[in-house]
Amino acid sequence: MGYKIGMVSLGCAKNQTDAETMLGILSEKGHQLVTDAEEADVIVVNTCGFIESAKQESIDAILEMAAYKEKNCKLLIASGCLAERYHDEIRTELPEVDAVVGTGDFEKIAAVIDAAFQGEHPVLCGHMNDALQEGLPRVLTTPGYTAYLKIADGCDNCCTYCAIPMIRGKFRSRKKEEIIREARELAAAGVKELILIAQDTTRYGIDLYGHYALSELLEELCAIEEIHWIRVHYFYTEAVTDALITTMAKHQKICHYVDMPIQHINNRILRRMARRTNRDEIIEKLSKIRALMPDCMIRTSLIVGFPGETEEEFSELYEFVKEGWFDRMGVFAYSQEEDTPAAEFPDQIEEAIKEERLDRLMRLQQEVSLKKNEKRIGRTVEVLVEGYDEESFLYFGRSRGDSIGVDSNVYFAAKDELSLGDFVWVKILAVDEYDVTGEQIEE
């Protein structure tokens, strides 16, 4: 018997690909996928558990979906990172949840639903170190022209603030041939932009082949004719090789876009974080990227208010950001995650100080971003068309320097009607701190 299945997926792109796989499995089993929770017989909440705010969002989503059990919904299932990390708490404190599925068991979602309808309360967790399964179906939840391609899972970095190794397990690369196979399938289905994701893409292959193999993988992906853009997320400084930078610079298909979360620039803080890099190496890698790809958009993530961060150490980070190394930036106030080493550090910082430092950095980056955008006036950029704004009568989309869901838009006037997923050239005429505006031109 098929059921109507609704899915709510939270958190990162890696979690999203897990949700897409669950949807693919359920669809193949004859279940009907619905987008309206009121219609669903079964609702799956694919949770995030990375930091405190994400955990709260996941709990709120579970409670919100639980309200539908008074209507049509018969089963509520919690999956993903929060489910992996807090499965016991979910079962005792959220009785509305009928089953729990962790990050290493999502491919069993159909069997879990069958068992729950038989009156069982399955809790499948603790398998996040198992080998990655290949050949599973997917239902894309991104626009049809863009897809995430997960090349590895888990993490061996063990930064002192991070719970990811406890949630996602050890670093495990997918075999190159399996990634290429999936990429070809996506291309045949109409995908034009591939976004490679992992907790740490730059370490791809080290566990399988004994060396960093991301540059080799990119070479093979570039041979897929239908793919127009290839974008890579999450670079770790110490694993950014000269071969990787050279490969990115060489191939037109690879977007000159680097998402490298450095977290901090002060050496003492980096050591306390157990980061495997230092200020000099960060500057060296950023300089190499800029030298070989002058047009590269560099994005980073930073943590402020890490235990023991002094005003002087924060000022060092502030001045580094002020130098304009980064085109895009996200800042997080340190979250004291239980069972992580940093949570036990004695010199925790007050929330008000964390938020004040976060605000100062973001206001600074707005100034930096505006200055950088002003230098783009008059330049032409290739844009992936993603929509039409009825209020401004302008199309909008993303350039090579803008990733889906996290970066800015390019707004532009066009003489003719365009379709979503088209690639056009736009001359930039006006800018603000984030978005830019222009007009379509002939190639």
Side-chain angles (χ1 to χ4, degrees):
M1 175 182 176
Y3 300 104
K4 293 181 178 179
I5 310 289
M7 174 79 73
V8 177
S9 189
L10 305 170
C12 68
K14 297 177 290 296
N15 218 35
Q16 186 173 343
T17 60
D18 292 348
E20 291 174 345
T21 300
M22 284 191 280
L23 291 173
I25 291 168
L26 292 169
S27 181
E28 278 202 350
K29 292 291 185 180
H31 300 295
Q32 180 184 349
L33 309 181
V34 297
T35 56
D36 187 347
E38 290 193 354
E39 298 179 13
D41 301 311
V42 180
I43 297 176
V44 181
V45 180
N46 196 38
T47 61
C48 179
F50 181 45
I51 57 177
E52 191 60 38
S53 58
K55 288 186 283 188
Q56 188 59 53
E57 182 184 15
S58 294
I59 293 168
D60 291 345
I62 291 171
L63 294 175
E64 181 182 352
M65 292 301 107
Y68 290 101
K69 293 186 76 172
E70 299 176 2
K71 301 177 183 179
N72 192 55
C73 178
K74 300 174 182 64
L75 289 181
L76 177 62
I77 297 173
S79 65
C81 294
L82 188 81
E84 179 67 52
R85 191 176 180 192
Y86 296 106
H87 47 274
D88 290 336
E89 291 86 345
I90 289 174
R91 290 298 299 128
T92 56
E93 298 178 24
L94 295 171
E96 302 91 341
V97 174
D98 299 287
V100 180
V101 183
T103 57
D105 295 280
F106 62 87
E107 75 279 359
K108 303 181 183 76
I109 186 65
V112 166
I113 289 174
D114 290 342
F117 270 113
Q118 295 300 316
E120 300 178 29
H121 294 279
V123 178
L124 276 64
C125 297
H127 302 104
M128 62 280 197
N129 286 314
D130 290 358
L132 301 176
Q133 293 208 29
E134 298 288 358
L136 298 174
R138 276 176 72 184
V139 173
L140 294 185
T141 55
T142 49
Y145 47 79
T146 294
Y148 293 110
L149 182 58
K150 186 159 67 171
I151 66 172
D153 209 343
C155 187
D156 293 339
N157 292 325
C158 297
C159 302
T160 58
Y161 53 82
C162 185
I164 291 298
M166 293 183 280
I167 298 171
R168 287 275 174 183
K170 64 184 180 181
F171 184 80
R172 290 151 294 150
S173 300
R174 295 178 60 191
K175 292 180 180 178
K176 194 184 306 178
E177 55 268 29
E178 292 292 340
I179 297 171
I180 299 299
R181 175 194 57 76
E182 184 176 3
R184 292 190 184 280
E185 290 177 357
L186 291 168
V191 170
K192 300 176 183 179
E193 179 190 34
L194 280 180
I195 305 176
L196 273 56
I197 56 171
Q199 195 62 36
D200 180 356
T201 53
T202 42
R203 283 191 172 79
Y204 171 74
I206 189 69
D207 52 326
L208 293 181
Y209 310 118
H211 65 277
Y212 298 146
L214 180 57
S215 59
E216 300 164 19
L217 176 63
L218 287 170
E219 292 277 2
E220 294 194 37
L221 288 172
C222 285
I224 302 175
E225 186 175 346
E226 301 93 334
I227 298 299
H228 192 74
W229 281 357
I230 299 171
R231 191 182 302 278
V232 187
H233 276 200
Y234 316 126
F235 292 63
Y236 274 63
T237 309
E238 64 277 14
V240 176
T241 63
D242 290 349
L244 174 58
I245 302 172
T246 300
T247 298
M248 292 183 66
K250 179 174 67 172
H251 288 284
Q252 187 177 0
K253 283 191 178 184
I254 303 175
C255 295
H256 289 181
Y257 178 92
V258 169
D259 188 344
M260 189 164 73
I262 67 167
Q263 309 303 0
H264 215 281
I265 198 62
N266 175 266
N267 283 336
R268 190 185 75 90
I269 296 296
L270 289 170
R271 286 194 299 271
R272 296 197 87 200
M273 289 178 168
R275 302 288 289 182
R276 302 178 183 181
T277 190
N278 56 50
R279 179 189 174 99
D280 288 344
E281 186 176 28
I282 291 170
I283 292 174
E284 177 193 359
K285 295 297 174 70
L286 290 173
S287 299
K288 283 184 177 180
I289 292 167
R290 289 283 186 219
L292 284 179
M293 295 183 287
D295 61 337
C296 187
M297 289 288 188
I298 301 178
R299 180 180 182 84
T300 197
S301 297
L302 304 174
I303 295 174
V304 295
F306 188 78
E309 181 191 53
T310 65
E311 183 62 32
E312 290 74 21
E313 288 165 338
F314 170 75
S315 295
E316 182 181 346
L317 179 62
Y318 183 94
E319 292 300 321
F320 188 73
V321 170
K322 193 174 182 179
E323 291 176 19
W325 288 99
F326 307 112
D327 304 281
R328 314 273 190 259
M329 190 176 80
V331 184
F332 297 89
Y334 167 73
S335 177
Q336 190 176 4
E337 293 302 308
E338 59 187 331
D339 300 323
T340 62
E344 303 302 319
F345 289 177
D347 41 5
Q348 302 291 324
I349 290 176
E350 295 178 11
E351 292 300 322
I353 295 176
K354 296 179 192 177
E355 293 300 327
E356 188 270 339
R357 289 177 180 175
L358 185 153
D359 183 60
R360 280 162 62 190
L361 264 191
M362 289 308 299
R363 282 189 281 114
L364 172 62
Q365 182 59 24
Q366 282 186 329
E367 298 173 11
V368 171
S369 180
L370 179 59
K371 290 177 181 177
K372 284 179 171 286
N373 276 349
E374 286 172 343
K375 292 179 180 179
R376 300 173 70 192
I377 294 175
R379 296 180 185 175
T380 58
V381 293
E382 189 179 31
V383 174
L384 171 58
V385 181
E386 293 201 297
Y388 183 78
D389 182 41
E390 298 286 352
E391 292 187 7
S392 64
F393 304 107
L394 296 174
Y395 284 94
F396 62 88
R398 292 181 289 112
S399 73
R400 289 172 176 266
D402 303 303
S403 195
I404 186 170
V406 293
D407 291 316
S408 309
N409 284 321
V410 178
Y411 292 88
F412 63 95
K415 294 179 181 179
D416 301 315
E417 186 174 344
L418 301 173
S419 298
L420 303 188
D422 285 348
F423 288 91
V424 299
W425 287 91
V426 173
K427 183 177 182 179
I428 298 173
L429 301 176
V431 302
D432 61 23
E433 291 91 340
Y434 300 113
D435 298 325
V436 302
T437 305
E439 62 180 5
Q440 182 187 359
I441 60 172
E442 297 298 323
E443 292 185 43

